[in-house]
């Protein structure tokens, strides 16, 4: 059902033009919401989003943003409020990641800083920017991303800087949940499993046609799995769920699968 008029809810989705974020953006647009979506450098994928939703162009704002840069995050918040006046859903989908497998002692200072700034600091800055609006409206949904085991502060060999930031984000998620509950605001974390390559923008139906013997449920995870989970957590009647960490893995042990 389209939520039109001045009461249309607005979602701010970082890195929402491709990968897991694209499926989340599509889900919010199907719900009839307006969205501000960031991208870092892939202009082609950003424009593809617009071309895929010609009937919803007036509900889409694209903002080029590097979440590791505080100035970019500040500008993003300003542009969002200038055009739409509020943020009801904050989806912190962006999260820098170093694909090279290296131990903690081999990380450079610059790599460490990028992991912390992009995966932890940016969430704090975005939270600070949107929370006054959410409090004023008595409603808000904040979704952060983690990794399997983040809630138990698991170590993750070769992914130490990323993991450290996300484990810190678990505590931040729970603190926000406690502090903002009285204002009708929830904050939860979603932890995707081993969703790679084209499966990030695939549907569940497509995944079921491609058996995956490595995942206990028999299929790979998809972007749709993540989008459906986030959609559920953002519903009005999901207000009893806050400070939770949801692992969407299909039963796969993501951290230790390569050990």
């Amino acid at each position: 059902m389209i939520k039109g008029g001045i009461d249309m809810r607005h979602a701010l989705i970082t890195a929402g033009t491709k990968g897991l974020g694209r499926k989340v953006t599509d889900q919010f647009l199907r719900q009839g919401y307006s969205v501000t979506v960031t991208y870092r450098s892939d202009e082609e994928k950003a424009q593809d989003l617009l071309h895929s939703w010609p009937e919803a162009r007036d509900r889409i704002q694209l903002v080029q943003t590097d979440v590791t840069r505080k100035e970019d995050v500040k500008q993003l918040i300003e542009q969002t409020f200038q055009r739409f006046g509020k943020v009801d859903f904050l989806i912190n989908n962006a999260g820098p990641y170093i694909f090279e497998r290296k131990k903690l002692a081999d990380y450079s200072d610059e790599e460490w800083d990028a992991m912390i700034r992009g995966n932890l600091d940016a969430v704090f800055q975005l939270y600070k920017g949107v929370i006054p609006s959410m409090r004023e409206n008595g409603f808000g949904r904040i979704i952060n991303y983690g990794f399997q085991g983040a809630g138990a502060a698991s170590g993750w060999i070769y992914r130490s800087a990323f993991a450290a930031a996300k484990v810190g984000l678990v505590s931040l998620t729970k603190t926000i949940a406690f502090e903002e509950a009285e204002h009708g605001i929830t904050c939860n974390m979603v932890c995707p499993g081993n969703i790679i390559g084209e499966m990030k923008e695939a549907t569940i139906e497509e995944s079921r046609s491609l058996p995956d013997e490595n995942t206990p449920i028999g299929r790979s995870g998809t972007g749709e799995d993540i989008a459906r989970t986030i959609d559920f957590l953002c519903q009005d009647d999901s207000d009893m769920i806050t400070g939770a960490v949801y692992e969407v893995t299909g039963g796969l042990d993501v951290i230790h699968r390569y050990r």
Side-chain angles (χ1 to χ4, degrees):
M1 181 176 67
I2 300 296
K3 290 100 176 151
I6 61 174
D7 294 327
M8 179 188 294
R9 284 181 170 164
H10 186 70
L12 171 54
I13 308 167
T14 61
T17 62
K18 64 180 181 180
L20 299 179
R22 171 59 188 270
K23 298 301 287 185
V24 176
T25 298
D26 288 344
Q27 185 77 14
F28 277 100
L29 288 171
R30 276 194 294 271
Q31 295 280 15
Y33 301 129
S34 58
V35 298
T36 293
V37 186
T38 77
Y39 67 100
R40 189 179 66 175
S41 59
D42 196 336
E43 178 72 27
E44 182 177 350
K45 289 293 289 185
Q47 292 302 315
D48 178 69
L49 172 63
L50 291 179
H51 294 322
S52 298
W53 288 91
E55 75 284 7
R57 286 198 172 201
D58 62 330
R59 293 191 279 125
I60 302 172
Q61 176 174 229
L62 297 175
V63 182
Q64 187 169 14
T65 304
D66 180 348
V67 295
T68 68
R69 291 173 48 85
K70 187 175 182 179
E71 299 81 3
D72 281 21
V73 173
K74 181 180 179 181
Q75 183 182 49
L76 166 64
I77 294 169
E78 290 175 351
Q79 289 186 237
T80 301
F81 280 94
Q82 283 174 2
R83 178 164 174 182
F84 293 103
K86 64 174 182 173
V87 172
D88 300 288
F89 311 102
L90 172 61
I91 314 300
N92 289 301
N93 177 76
Y97 187 80
I98 294 176
F99 288 91
E100 181 183 354
R101 292 161 63 83
K102 59 171 69 178
K103 291 188 175 181
L104 178 59
D106 298 320
Y107 275 80
S108 67
D109 290 348
E110 291 75 19
E111 289 172 325
W112 174 268
D113 288 345
M115 291 300 98
I116 302 301
R117 287 199 306 269
N119 289 290
L120 185 58
D121 292 354
V123 174
F124 167 71
Q125 291 156 7
L126 285 162
Y127 158 79
K128 288 277 286 184
V130 307
I131 206 65
S133 171
M134 290 183 174
R135 287 176 176 175
E136 181 179 353
N137 293 325
F139 177 88
R141 299 288 182 264
I142 300 173
I143 304 293
N144 299 322
Y145 281 53
F147 67 95
Q148 182 190 47
S154 298
W156 192 357
I157 190 170
Y158 306 127
R159 305 288 183 232
S160 52
F162 176 83
K166 291 300 189 182
V167 166
L169 187 55
V170 173
S171 181
L172 195 69
T173 297
K174 293 178 180 290
T175 297
I176 292 171
F178 298 149
E179 293 184 349
E180 302 301 336
E182 64 182 300
H183 301 290
I185 299 165
T186 68
C187 185
N188 294 289
M189 175 176 280
V190 174
C191 301
N194 189 46
I195 307 175
I196 60 176
E198 294 181 354
M199 301 313 295
K200 291 182 178 181
E201 295 186 23
T203 65
I204 293 172
E205 182 179 359
E206 289 170 336
S207 176
R208 285 181 174 147
S209 68
L210 300 169
D212 179 6
E213 63 182 16
N214 294 316
T215 302
I217 64 165
R219 69 171 178 87
S220 169
T222 69
E224 185 183 2
D225 290 294
I226 303 305
R228 290 182 68 254
T229 303
I230 290 174
D231 180 46
F232 169 70
L233 292 172
C234 287
Q235 293 174 14
D236 286 23
D237 290 341
S238 294
D239 55 340
M240 282 294 289
I241 306 171
T242 190
V245 179
Y246 275 70
E247 295 187 355
V248 188
T249 67
L252 177 67
D253 186 344
V254 178
I255 294 180
H256 299 110
R257 66 184 301 238
Y258 296 118
R259 292 295 299 274

